[in-house]
């Protein structure tokens, strides 16, 4: 999430996000992917800038950004799980993750299922772009 991007709501750099990666701020998007994904959900419409999101009134929701991947676009399951936990603790009811890997983790499955069953949080994850039937996680949980 590139805080201050002209087509996204500005967030409080102290309170509106979390990064589990040392020396990498949640509001600095090292490769632009997080900003792109946030724009799909919450770009400000009707401002003659960029694109309009699927949500035409960005004031009807709020972002809390959990930086699941580092600035290079890679990360760890532990980092992604920390980011999800921070989002849940901040009151998120929907979490969207554009990340995935080929390894199954029972610990991750238990955490994500627990947030759904106990906290009422819907977690949506990318299924990949390979156009095949391989399983990617967390989408395949």
């Amino acid at each position: 999430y590139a805080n201050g991007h002209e087509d996204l709501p500005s967030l409080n750099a102290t309170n509106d996000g979390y990064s589990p990666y040392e020396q990498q701020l949640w509001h600095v998007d090292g490769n632009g992917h997080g900003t792109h994904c946030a724009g799909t959900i919450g770009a400000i419409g009707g401002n003659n800038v960029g694109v309009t999101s699927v949500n035409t009134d960005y004031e009807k929701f709020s972002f809390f950004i959990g930086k699941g991947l580092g600035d290079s676009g890679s990360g760890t399951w532990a980092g992604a799980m920390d980011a999800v936990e921070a989002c849940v603790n901040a009151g998120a009811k929907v979490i969207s993750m554009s990340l995935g890997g080929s390894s199954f983790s029972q610990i991750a499955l238990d955490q994500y299922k627990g947030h759904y069953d106990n906290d009422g949080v819907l977690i949506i994850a990318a299924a990949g772009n390979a156009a095949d039937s391989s399983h990617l996680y967390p989408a395949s949980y």
Side-chain angles (χ1 to χ4, degrees), residues 38-116:
T40 300
I41 297 167
I44 300 168
N47 64 351
N48 296 318
V49 176
V51 298
T52 297
S53 68
V54 296
N55 181 356
T56 56
D57 186 353
Y58 74 94
E59 293 181 356
K60 289 186 177 179
F61 76 100
S62 61
F63 278 121
F64 181 89
I65 306 298
K67 189 170 189 160
L69 298 176
D71 287 337
S72 67
S74 64
T76 65
W77 284 126
M81 291 169 59
D82 277 355
V84 166
E85 191 70 24
C87 290
V88 171
N89 291 340
K93 291 301 177 191
V94 177
I95 297 173
S96 176
M97 300 190 300
S98 182
L99 54 81
S102 60
S103 59
F104 173 88
S105 165
Q106 186 66 49
I107 294 169
L109 170 60
D110 291 345
Q111 177 189 356
Y112 300 149
K113 185 174 183 328
H115 288 314
Y116 180 78

Side-chain angles (χ1 to χ4, degrees), residues 13-61:
T14 303
N15 301 319
D16 291 338
Y18 169 79
S19 173
Y21 302 102
E22 281 194 39
Q23 308 297 321
Q24 295 186 39
L25 303 172
W26 71 264
H27 55 86
V28 176
D29 188 354
N31 66 20
H33 186 72
T35 300
H36 167 79
C37 294
T40 300
I41 297 167
I44 300 168
N47 64 351
N48 296 318
V49 176
V51 298
T52 297
S53 68
V54 296
N55 181 356
T56 56
D57 186 353
Y58 74 94
E59 293 181 356
K60 289 186 177 179
F61 76 100

